[in-house]
Amino acid sequence: MLSFLQRLLGNNNAKEIKKMRAIADHINEIEPNYVKLSDANLVAKTDEFKRRLQKGETLDDILPEAFAVVREASKRVLGMRHFDVQLIGGICLHRGNIAEMRTGEGKTLVATLPVYLNALTGNGVHVVTVNDYLATRDSEQMGRLYNFLGLSTGLIVANLDYNQRKEAYACDITYGTNNEFGFDYLRDNMVSDVSQMVQRPLNYAIVDEVDSILIDEARTPLIISGPGQRSTDNYYKLAKIVPHLVKDEDYTIDEKQKTIAPTDSGIAKVEKMLGVENLYDAENIELNHLLGASLRAYAMMHRDTDYVVKDGEVVIVDEFTGRLMFGRRYSDGLHQAIELKKA
Ligand SMILES: Nc1ncnc2c1ncn2[C@@H]1O[C@H](COP(=O)(O)OP(=O)(O)OP(=O)(O)O)[C@@H](O)[C@H]1O
Ligand SMILES: [Mg+2]
């Protein structure tokens, strides 16, 4: 059975690669047309491609020509001619697949093919790497190629200010680390006006060392905390109030979605007990948020199921393995709310 499956998958893969090899062959065939172009005429291809895209051609239509242009430009600017397997790797990445290539096989150069192609839309391309050093190195080295072809390159590393970030994201191609891209995305979700966002709508990204970024690094969540310290006072007030609320009358629980929400009558009760006019006023944002956390801690988090109390500390129980997660804390005020619940 296993070997049958392997054969099936193997054949599929082989078929796909055969198709991609045919495209690579085609790129080789048209290479002489580009070898004879002057630098100026080679560079002019970028504008030609952009125009053709606007007229309705697709990225797949122009892929062979665009790849041939990148290869020729790379020969002239970097002194490297993409190998055929690098062309196939580039096609694979353009289609949104994962290409596995061994160390030293030239993944940095492979990326230039789909990066150039997808940047032609003008909607921005992100190249995600694991650290600042690689992001800086690759953006400088490959940036020479993109700039020769008339595309701009930006770099996102730590300690950039708002204007520098905005500028880097406005470039055709933006290199950066997964952490920086992730945190910029989170911060963009906290602004009160779209003009304060640094990223443009997300379009196309290539992830280097994808196993490390999407599996290993993904185990550590990026957590962003709002400005200012929440007053512990409000936690205490709400911890006293929520036990007075009645399920299905003052709040409802969606077990499937694991969400909890106060009803109108619940809100009215809480407003009265807190002595505030309107919980939805901008000035009561924090109280409102803490009400959510307190309610959740009170009605949905169960001692000895979701957490245990050990030596006076709230310890999270892993939902899948049942293991105690020492040192881990719930985010968003939930942990503090649970601590008060046991008190
Ligand atoms: N087509 C090519 N012609 C000549 N040299 C090349 C070509 N492609 C890549 N190289 C060279 O091979 C070396 C390794 O490339 P690169 O760093 O991109 O490898 P990698 O696959 O990313 O490896 P790692 O897994 O270590 O990150 C570089 O020095 C690069 O200049
Ligand atoms: Mg590499």
Side-chain angles (χ1 to χ4, degrees):
M1 180 66 186
L2 191 68
S3 81
F4 167 74
L5 270 181
Q6 268 166 354
R7 235 177 27 236
L8 196 72
L9 293 172
N11 276 344
N12 253 340
N13 219 353
K15 230 193 251 166
E16 284 299 312
I17 290 177
K18 206 170 153 201
K19 276 192 222 152
M20 293 194 241
R21 183 167 289 285
I23 300 177
D25 288 342
H26 177 53
I27 297 168
N28 284 328
E29 274 162 32
I30 60 177
E31 185 172 5
N33 303 341
Y34 298 90
V35 172
K36 62 179 187 229
L37 291 181
S38 67
D39 279 2
N41 285 340
L42 186 63
V43 170
K45 286 285 171 186
T46 298
D47 279 336
E48 179 199 314
F49 292 146
K50 285 184 179 173
R51 274 198 305 276
R52 283 166 53 189
L53 286 174
Q54 269 162 11
K55 283 201 185 126
E57 280 188 68
T58 66
L59 290 177
D60 289 322
D61 293 337
I62 63 170
L63 182 145
E65 293 164 75
F67 278 25
V69 164
V70 176
R71 186 194 238 177
E72 184 57 30
S74 168
K75 269 156 66 181
R76 297 185 193 186
V77 179
L78 305 173
M80 291 189 275
R81 176 178 174 275
H82 295 72
F83 303 122
D84 286 7
V85 287
Q86 290 178 316
L87 298 179
I88 293 175
I91 298 167
C92 185
L93 290 179
H94 168 64
R95 296 185 176 171
N97 295 322
I98 294 174
E100 181 179 0
M101 299 182 76
R102 246 159 267 161
T103 184
E105 282 195 303
K107 293 183 275 283
T108 317
L109 195 63
V110 169
T112 57
L113 300 159
V115 163
Y116 171 78
L117 177 64
N118 284 273
L120 290 168
T121 60
N123 295 329
V125 167
H126 293 171
V127 185
V128 188
T129 56
V130 280
N131 59 44
D132 279 0
Y133 165 75
L134 287 176
T136 309
R137 184 197 73 180
D138 291 356
S139 76
E140 279 168 7
Q141 289 179 353
M142 301 303 127
R144 287 168 51 213
L145 173 60
Y146 303 126
N147 293 347
F148 172 82
L149 285 170
L151 297 179
S152 56
T153 324
L155 173 65
I156 296 284
V157 285
N159 301 324
L160 295 186
D161 65 24
Y162 168 82
N163 286 322
Q164 290 167 317
R165 281 176 197 273
K166 190 124 182 154
E167 212 172 286
Y169 281 119
C171 291
D172 294 307
I173 299 148
T174 309
Y175 278 81
T177 62
N178 53 321
N179 268 331
E180 292 297 320
F181 282 125
F183 276 119
D184 282 338
Y185 179 80
L186 291 178
R187 276 190 292 262
D188 274 358
N189 272 282
M190 291 170 58
V191 301
S192 47
D193 191 281
V194 284
S195 68
Q196 296 163 346
M197 294 170 73
V198 292
Q199 294 186 342
R200 296 191 275 160
L202 303 176
N203 173 46
Y204 177 82
I206 289 188
V207 183
D208 194 10
E209 317 267 353
V210 69
D211 46 350
S212 157
I213 291 183
L214 292 191
I215 300 175
D216 304 339
E217 301 251 336
R219 286 183 217 274
T220 321
L222 302 179
I223 294 178
I224 198 160
S225 37
Q229 200 60 12
R230 290 192 182 122
S231 84
T232 33
D233 233 28
N234 286 336
Y235 274 112
Y236 279 105
K237 280 190 207 156
L238 284 160
K240 287 209 186 91
I241 288 174
V242 287
H244 295 288
L245 301 181
V246 183
K247 188 179 171 191
D248 294 329
E249 194 179 304
D250 298 325
Y251 61 89
T252 53
I253 295 180
D254 184 334
E255 295 287 354
K256 218 168 122 210
Q257 304 277 337
K258 300 203 171 174
T259 55
I260 186 163
T263 61
D264 287 349
S265 97
I267 291 286
K269 269 193 199 169
V270 174
E271 283 169 346
K272 203 165 148 212
M273 288 188 268
L274 282 173
V276 303
E277 186 104 3
N278 183 353
L279 257 185
Y280 290 98
D281 266 355
E283 59 183 41
N284 294 325
I285 271 186
E286 182 189 301
L287 271 174
N288 196 333
H289 181 84
L290 292 186
L291 170 62
S294 305
L295 207 50
R296 194 176 183 85
Y298 170 72
M300 291 186 77
M301 306 305 292
H302 304 293
R303 184 167 172 173
D304 296 334
T305 303
D306 301 299
Y307 66 93
V308 296
V309 180
K310 217 167 162 42
D311 302 328
E313 297 280 321
V314 172
V315 183
I316 300 178
V317 175
D318 185 276
E319 146 179 41
F320 301 106
T321 63
R323 270 193 221 124
L324 296 186
M325 319 256 278
F326 289 99
R328 206 69 83 77
R329 290 175 68 80
Y330 288 113
S331 59
D332 238 9
L334 183 59
H335 209 87
Q336 290 91 322
I338 295 173
E339 284 169 344
L340 286 178
K341 179 182 166 184
K342 73 167 168 96

